[in-house]
Amino acid sequence: MLDFYFSYRGVLKRLRSGALGGEMDRLAEHFFTVGYKRASAKIYLSRIARFSQFAATRCGLMPIHQDVIDSYLGSFYCGYSAHRGSIGSGTRTASGSGTIHYFRSK
């Protein structure tokens, strides 16, 4: 399903690698099924793939634990409270949209 959003082989290979590589096509299908706009889905898939690469370097084939997620989000810390800054907003948006729930339910 990633082929619906991306066409370059190198991009598809990068998206399908990483700790969440095996889930990316299912996630793309989920975004399509619930009606995400193509541009929005591409942004979200690219950001998830970036996290997937980060997680792969931290935990390999092991499950992704909360400390890996916190470490990734902490790398974006820019001096603001996580509850007021963009990271807090992004994590609230991700959890509110069901993305985090999607991964936890699998």
Side-chain angles (χ1 to χ4, degrees):
M1 189 69 202
L2 284 172
D3 302 75
F4 177 76
Y5 297 108
F6 301 95
S7 58
Y8 293 112
R9 279 187 291 226
V11 172
L12 291 167
K13 182 178 177 181
R14 179 179 53 81
L15 291 170
R16 290 182 174 128
S17 65
L20 299 173
E23 299 293 323
M24 293 299 288
D25 278 290
R26 271 198 315 195
L27 187 56
E29 183 176 359
H30 173 74
F31 287 154
F32 178 80
T33 301
V34 297
Y36 277 73
K37 300 276 188 202
R38 178 179 249 150
S40 296
K42 286 178 74 168
I43 290 168
Y44 296 143
L45 291 166
S46 295
R47 290 178 180 172
I48 293 167
R50 188 176 306 145
F51 168 72
S52 179
Q53 295 295 327
F54 177 87
T57 64
R58 299 301 189 279
C59 56
L61 299 175
M62 301 299 290
I64 301 169
H65 293 286
Q66 187 65 45
D67 62 325
V68 174
I69 296 168
D70 293 343
S71 177
Y72 181 75
L73 293 176
S75 69
F76 294 104
Y77 181 72
C78 58
Y80 294 102
S81 168
H83 296 289
R84 294 183 305 154
S86 60
I87 296 302
S89 173
T91 56
R92 284 191 303 276
T93 301
S95 61
S97 69
T99 304
I100 291 174
H101 175 73
Y102 174 84
F103 284 117
R104 289 187 176 154
S105 69
K106 299 297 175 197

